Amino acid sequence: MRRTLAVTAALGVAWMTRRALKRRIGDSPLWPLPALETPVSGHSPRRALRALIVSRTEPAQGVLRLTLESPDLPAWTPGAHVDVTLPSGLVRQYSLCGDPADEGRYTIAIRLVEDGRGGSREAHAQLVEGAELELRPPRNRFALVPAASYVFVAGGIGITPILPMLRAATAAGADWTLLYGGRTLDSMPFLDDLAPYGDRVSVLPEDETGLPDLAPVAAAGPGTLVYCCGPEPLMDAVTAAADPASVHLERFAPAGEPGPGRAFAVELRRSGRVVEVAADESALAAVRRELPDTPYSCEQGFCGTCQHRVLSGGVDHRDELLTDQEREDSMLLCVSRAQGDRLVLDL
């Protein structure tokens, strides 16, 4: 009897030890290395949302407007955008252009870019009414700052983040004007939405009026804020014409070459490996040589798919996405680099 009890106790201890070891390995796949927190990369801290496409229309030539509905959609403010996961897994960013007061409903617009990277072609071909779409909660790095007066400048699809700003500025009693340019009148969406604003809005199709006259931007007085979204040359022209302190820009394409790079090393703490990042390559490319399953999508610093936790080292942030708080302990591998000679990542 005593022997039986001893054997039973030993088996119980062995089972508990095996279970604890299995849990430990699960917590840290490279056990016995120290278990760290779950890495950010591929696991966005912003939870995934599901929404139904309830309407698909074409407000202009080559422009797709989608209305999405779900009771789980968070509130948002003018200037916000959402990350949309396309059926292929590509992640793209689109400004919210509906009314923030419409709870449970988002509106986005997507211009077809035939020679782009494929996201807009996929959206136009596959995002149909009745389909479900995955997206992440809104971000806003283009928030409308309260002011007595504004000059808004939009180019083409850049009208999308501006639309809800016009509603908000009107509701607040602010004085404002809009310069809205595009290639042709047929290519410029949301003209019907702008019509009620009358002569506050100047519609400037390039094939009829040439490049927009930015005199209202240059003439903006103290306290007038300038908001611009559109092609890079337009934003450059607006920045040159206005007081830089008054200008707010929204970009969904890189602002240009970020300057010469320099080589640095990246330590992958979970595996103990060290990879060298050449001056002419991204940290993402170097990391993927060692860890080919590291997720990524846009490779331009906008979608956040390659966001990863930084355990040590200063980061030269070159993205248009992360908040100041997120930049304290993470980076986007596709565009950002080390300030010094070495970074340590939670990989």
Side-chain angles (χ1 to χ4, degrees):
M1 181 65 177
R2 186 175 300 171
R3 177 179 175 81
T4 302
L5 290 175
V7 170
T8 302
L11 289 174
V13 170
W15 178 81
M16 293 177 64
T17 302
R18 182 179 179 183
R19 185 179 180 184
L21 181 59
K22 185 177 181 180
R23 187 184 301 114
R24 184 69 177 84
I25 292 173
D27 290 340
S28 180
L30 295 171
W31 184 87
L33 291 177
L36 302 176
E37 296 179 60
T38 302
V40 172
S41 183
H43 306 275
S44 172
R46 296 179 299 142
R47 61 189 176 90
L49 304 169
R50 309 294 300 187
L52 188 69
I53 300 174
V54 297
S55 174
R56 170 182 166 130
T57 59
E58 296 186 8
Q61 184 178 17
V63 177
L64 171 66
R65 174 169 52 191
L66 300 176
T67 301
L68 317 173
E69 289 188 355
S70 169
D72 298 325
L73 296 180
W76 59 282
T77 54
H81 73 268
V82 291
D83 299 341
V84 173
T85 302
L86 299 174
S88 67
L90 288 175
V91 180
R92 294 294 183 265
Q93 296 70 47
Y94 302 111
S95 295
L96 292 171
C97 53
D99 187 343
D102 290 339
E103 296 182 6
R105 172 176 290 195
Y106 287 173
T107 301
I108 59 175
I110 306 168
R111 179 175 294 285
L112 178 62
V113 183
E114 291 287 2
D115 59 349
R117 294 175 296 126
S120 68
R121 294 194 301 273
E122 180 180 351
H124 276 247
Q126 298 191 35
L127 300 186
V128 298
E129 190 171 320
E132 193 175 52
L133 197 58
E134 180 179 307
L135 56 153
R136 298 175 191 158
R139 288 177 178 264
N140 197 339
R141 296 186 66 85
F142 191 47
L144 185 66
V145 176
S149 59
Y150 303 91
V151 176
F152 297 103
V153 183
I157 200 64
I159 188 64
T160 51
I162 300 296
L163 271 180
M165 292 186 178
L166 304 183
R167 300 186 188 102
T170 302
D175 182 27
W176 61 265
T177 57
L178 167 66
L179 306 178
Y180 179 24
R183 296 189 308 276
T184 65
L185 201 62
D186 289 343
S187 71
M188 299 170 67
F190 302 111
L191 294 177
D192 290 344
D193 296 74
L194 296 173
Y197 295 123
D199 59 7
R200 286 187 174 191
V201 176
S202 297
V203 177
L204 307 168
E206 187 175 344
D207 63 338
E208 298 178 19
T209 64
L211 296 176
D213 180 0
L214 298 180
V217 175
T224 297
L225 300 184
V226 178
Y227 278 77
C228 177
C229 183
E232 198 67 29
L234 175 64
M235 291 194 287
D236 289 342
V238 167
T239 302
D243 175 3
S246 70
V247 176
H248 298 257
L249 305 176
E250 173 78 316
R251 286 188 170 94
F252 286 109
E257 292 299 323
R262 60 192 297 274
F264 60 98
V266 172
E267 177 187 337
L268 310 178
R269 175 61 58 83
R270 289 178 174 244
S271 65
R273 306 173 198 172
V274 176
V275 297
E276 299 295 330
V277 183
D280 60 351
E281 73 173 339
S282 69
L284 175 65
V287 168
R288 282 179 58 83
R289 285 200 301 271
E290 292 291 332
L291 301 175
D293 291 334
T294 302
Y296 70 99
S297 182
C298 76
E299 297 186 84
Q300 298 186 83
F302 292 100
C303 74
T305 305
C306 66
Q307 181 179 346
H308 223 292
R309 182 172 291 111
V310 178
L311 302 177
S312 178
V315 179
D316 175 11
H317 292 285
R318 301 183 177 188
D319 65 274
E320 298 284 343
L321 180 72
L322 299 184
T323 64
D324 292 340
Q325 182 177 359
E326 289 172 324
R327 289 181 176 184
E328 292 178 1
D329 63 358
S330 64
M331 67 181 288
L332 298 189
L333 301 184
C334 64
V335 293
S336 296
R337 306 183 68 81
Q339 291 180 340
D341 296 325
R342 190 180 186 90
L343 288 174
V344 180
L345 300 180
D346 181 13
L347 267 170

